[in-house]
């Protein structure tokens, strides 16, 4: 089809967007690492170092926060698009950590000159907002993500490209520091921030990053025109999206598929396919509604078996049953063509497994989520219950060897969300991944 990047019948997809279809931590890092093998470019388009994407290769574990998970494959170009917010110190630390592990980013990492920069005052404001509130606390990662995006939208932000014009950068920074200090000093007895100190520190970061910075929009559009395969790596998950998620308990970026277009500068007509990653159950970190959350007993079991602790903050993740209402909504909002179901093995020991198929609220049954802010807090999930498989699936290498109960569970999920299952993951490593038919 013209306008699509060779994505006609029987042809390979050239531009794929991969998104988390729940509240993040679905296993996107593992799936990106697998898909990256066939791609030329892997692109982050939103979020920042609030993300934590884990890739396990052999006995080595890598946790990527800002750098696309494709970096672990030789020769892949990894792009941080302008929709990402960058803490330069965190980025440099990540580049250096990878270098110490034998992975050289110097020729393969490209950073947009239009990405916004996280400054120390963003992190402080993030912390202050969280500590001031008891009720209504979001449970952020305290990485300064929200305040940095707020500055971007308020048109007072500072972008990576600005760091290379000292006079311009210095004037904008001074203005920002003055404004932020009035806020910080109001909340706590502190000296506030010193703009000349920040200026010096950030000019050093800019010098380090100079060779990586470029016009990534041009780079990606040229790549697509030249038939290169590009994978857009979503961070967070659909229900953390600032527009679509469980507002205000969300992150501050567009973590749904549309964010790939605005955050990487690639038009919707160029995207061939959207893949959603879902866990075989549900987790969320931080505050906010969670209708299918387990009771403490089961929570403990699944958290332990699934290693459900944040890859960025180490916080214990909240765990619950698979919520097909949420994921079905996610399929619509992202235009998901196929899903990858991860962590099936974590459910191996359960005698009974539930799937939420609807909600009850004020005497009515719902299969979608209305805008009522109290809905998700007060609705009661309607469950279907299935027998567990009570067998170890972590060593299975073909979908034909999956226990019948696991197939039944997966097929019911497929039916409820109305989407093809592409892959099923039964463990952390690359080889613990099955093509599902
Ligand atoms: P992401 O943010 O979506 O990339 O996910 P995280 O890396 O934050 O969390 C997913 C966790 O689950 C990581 O520790 C992965 O190594 C692990 N993981 C991924 N797939 C599987 C799986 O199929 N089974 C098990 N047991 N662990 C998995
Ligand atoms: P990955 O990419 C899970 C959550 C935080 C908090 C909310 C807002 O690894 O899936 P923020 O610091 O972004 O302002 O926090 O969003 N959050 C995530 N939860 N996985 C993530 O990323 C997350 N990134 C942010 O816990 O509830
Ligand atoms: Mg994560």
């Amino acid at each position: 089809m013209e306008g699509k990047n060779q994505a006609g019948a029987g042809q390979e997809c050239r531009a794929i967007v991969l998104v988390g279809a729940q509240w993040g931590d679905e296993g996107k890092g593992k799936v990106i690492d697998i898909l990256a093998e066939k791609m030329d470019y892997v692109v982050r388009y939103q979020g920042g170092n609030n993300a934590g994407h884990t890739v396990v290769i052999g006995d080595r574990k890598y946790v990527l926060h800002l750098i696309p998970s494709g970096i672990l494959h030789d020769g892949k170009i990894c792009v941080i698009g302008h929709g990402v917010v960058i803490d330069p110190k965190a980025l440099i630390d990540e580049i250096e950590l990878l270098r110490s592990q034998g992975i050289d980013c110097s020729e393969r990492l490209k950073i947009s000159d239009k990405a916004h920069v996280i400054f120390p005052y963003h992190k402080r404001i993030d912390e202050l907002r969280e500590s001031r509130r008891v009720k209504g606390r979001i449970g952020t990662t305290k990485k300064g993500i929200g305040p940095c995006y707020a500055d971007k939208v308020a048109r007072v932000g500072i972008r990576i490209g600005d760091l290379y014009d000292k006079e311009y950068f210095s004037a904008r920074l001074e203005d920002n520091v003055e404004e932020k200090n009035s806020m910080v000093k109001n909340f706590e007895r502190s000296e506030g921030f010193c703009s000349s100190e920040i200026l010096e520190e950030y000019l050093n970061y800019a010098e380090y990053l100079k060779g990586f910075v470029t016009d990534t929009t041009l780079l990606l559009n040229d790549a697509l025109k030249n038939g290169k395969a590009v994978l857009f790596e979503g961070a967070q998950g659909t229900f953390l999206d600032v527009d679509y998620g469980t507002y205000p308990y969300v992150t501050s970026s567009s973590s749904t598929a549309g964010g790939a277009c605005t955050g990487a500068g690639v038009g919707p007509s160029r995207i061939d396919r959207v893949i959603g990653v879902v866990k075989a159950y549900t987790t969320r970190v931080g505050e906010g509604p969670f209708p299918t959350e387990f009771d403490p007993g089961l929570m403990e079991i699944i958290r332990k078996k699934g290693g459900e602790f944040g890859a960025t903050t180490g916080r214990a993740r909240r765990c619950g049953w698979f919520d097909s209402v949420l994921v079905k909504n996610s399929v619509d909002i992202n235009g998901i063509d196929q899903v990858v179901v991860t962590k099936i093995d974590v459910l191996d020991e359960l005698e009974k497994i539930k799937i939420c198929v609807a909600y009850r609220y004020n005497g009515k049954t719902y299969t979608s989520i209305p805008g009522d802010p109290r809905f998700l807090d007060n609705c009661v999930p309607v469950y279907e219950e299935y027998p567990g498989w009570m067998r170890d699936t972590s060593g299975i290498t073909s979908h034909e060897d999956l226990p019948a109960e696991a197939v039944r569970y997966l097929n019911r999920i497929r039916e409820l969300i109305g989407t093809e299952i592409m892959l099923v993951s039964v463990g952390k490593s690359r080889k613990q991944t099955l093509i599902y038919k």
Side-chain angles (χ1 to χ4, degrees):
M1 198 205 317
E2 225 165 282
K4 290 269 173 181
N5 312 296
Q6 304 174 21
Q11 285 178 314
E12 275 190 34
C13 288
R14 291 279 142 207
I16 298 176
V17 178
L18 181 138
V19 289
Q22 293 156 319
W23 275 293
D25 302 326
E26 296 89 349
K28 298 177 294 294
K30 171 179 165 164
V31 180
I32 291 280
D33 172 62
I34 288 169
L35 299 180
E37 203 179 341
K38 293 216 165 94
M39 311 303 288
D40 301 300
Y41 290 71
V42 183
V43 187
R44 274 282 308 271
Y45 54 86
Q46 46 73 227
N49 60 324
N50 48 350
H53 298 174
T54 314
V55 181
V56 175
I57 303 172
D59 54 10
R60 268 218 161 143
K61 175 172 139 178
Y62 303 85
V63 182
L64 297 148
H65 299 286
L66 269 166
I67 298 176
S69 307
I71 200 77
L72 304 175
H73 285 274
D74 271 353
K76 308 297 172 186
I77 308 286
C78 290
V79 176
I80 300 180
H82 60 258
V84 174
V85 286
I86 298 178
D87 179 334
K89 176 160 187 338
L91 178 57
I92 293 168
D93 287 348
E94 202 168 320
I95 294 169
E96 288 299 323
L97 180 68
L98 284 172
R99 192 199 302 278
S100 73
Q101 294 170 320
I103 294 150
D104 182 12
C105 297
S106 53
E107 296 299 316
R108 297 195 288 125
L109 180 65
K110 310 286 170 194
I111 302 168
S112 170
D113 51 1
K114 298 191 187 75
H116 278 252
V117 180
I118 297 179
F119 285 91
Y121 47 79
H122 292 131
K123 288 191 266 191
R124 193 71 199 113
I125 291 168
D126 198 355
E127 283 164 0
L128 277 174
R129 282 206 180 117
E130 287 288 279
S131 59
R132 265 185 73 233
R133 292 194 185 107
V134 179
K135 213 164 163 262
R137 183 180 288 165
I138 292 166
T140 73
T141 57
K142 298 184 181 163
K143 303 286 184 193
I145 306 294
C148 183
Y149 276 116
D151 276 2
K152 169 177 172 169
V153 178
R155 295 154 297 179
V156 295
I158 296 171
R159 309 194 292 182
I160 290 281
D162 301 340
L163 306 181
Y164 300 97
D165 180 333
K166 190 173 171 189
E167 205 180 314
Y168 179 83
F169 171 35
S170 166
R172 266 185 102 76
L173 181 65
E174 230 169 83
D175 189 51
N176 265 289
V177 167
E178 193 185 321
E179 185 185 83
K180 268 59 172 189
N181 275 351
S182 68
M183 187 176 171
V184 169
K185 285 178 184 169
N186 205 15
F187 286 135
E188 58 176 10
R189 261 189 225 109
S190 80
E191 290 289 300
F193 293 94
C194 167
S195 65
S196 59
E197 274 174 25
I198 300 177
L199 182 73
E200 203 185 310
E201 183 186 341
Y202 275 63
L203 286 174
N204 285 331
Y205 298 147
E207 190 54 36
Y208 179 105
L209 294 173
K210 208 171 186 174
F212 299 98
V213 178
T214 187
D215 180 343
T216 55
T217 300
L218 199 63
L219 179 82
L220 290 171
N221 281 287
D222 280 351
L224 287 167
K225 278 178 208 154
N226 291 323
K228 301 287 184 203
V230 182
L231 181 56
F232 297 90
E233 169 177 352
Q236 288 82 50
T238 300
F239 294 95
L240 288 173
D241 182 278
V242 68
D243 289 296
Y244 188 68
T246 46
Y247 194 89
Y249 300 97
V250 294
T251 190
S252 300
S253 66
S254 298
S255 50
T256 41
C261 296
T262 52
V266 169
S269 61
R270 299 289 178 266
I271 306 296
D272 298 313
R273 179 163 299 196
V274 180
I275 296 174
V277 185
V278 290
K279 239 176 228 184
Y281 47 100
T282 313
T283 61
R284 106 168 271 178
V285 204
E287 308 301 321
F290 187 172
T292 64
E293 191 164 9
F294 291 141
D295 60 34
L298 194 49
M299 178 86 79
E300 202 51 41
I301 293 169
I302 296 298
R303 185 179 285 154
K304 196 160 169 232
K305 170 100 186 177
E308 295 297 357
F309 295 90
T312 298
T313 58
R315 289 178 294 172
R317 294 176 183 149
R318 299 156 67 193
C319 307
W321 296 116
F322 187 86
D323 187 334
S324 73
V325 181
L326 283 188
V327 177
K328 189 172 185 306
N329 271 259
S330 195
V331 166
D332 287 342
I333 215 76
N334 292 296
I336 290 174
D337 298 298
Q338 291 174 304
V339 294
V340 177
V341 182
T342 62
K343 302 191 101 163
I344 267 286
D345 56 299
V346 177
L347 305 180
D348 280 353
E349 282 142 41
L350 298 184
E351 260 176 64
K352 300 233 176 292
I353 303 178
K354 292 184 188 180
I355 303 178
C356 168
V357 295
Y359 307 123
R360 292 281 297 164
Y361 182 67
N362 284 344
K364 280 200 207 150
T365 301
Y366 291 80
T367 52
S368 63
I369 306 157
D372 177 346
R374 276 172 252 284
F375 179 85
L376 279 176
D377 273 327
N378 298 301
C379 67
V380 178
V382 179
Y383 289 113
E384 285 178 359
E385 194 174 270
Y386 291 88
W389 40 94
M390 309 284 288
R391 264 178 55 199
D392 179 7
T393 56
S394 66
I396 289 178
T397 52
S398 161
H399 77 107
E400 283 150 11
D401 299 328
L402 279 170
E405 294 83 357
V407 172
R408 187 173 168 197
Y409 180 67
L410 287 164
N411 286 352
R412 184 60 181 140
I413 286 177
R414 176 167 67 185
E415 192 173 55
L416 286 164
I417 66 173
T419 306
E420 194 184 317
I421 298 176
M422 175 192 179
L423 298 171
V424 171
S425 170
V426 293
K428 291 169 190 273
S429 74
R430 285 174 174 170
K431 63 177 189 301
Q432 291 171 299
T433 316
L434 323 173
I435 294 171
Y436 196 74
K437 289 181 184 150

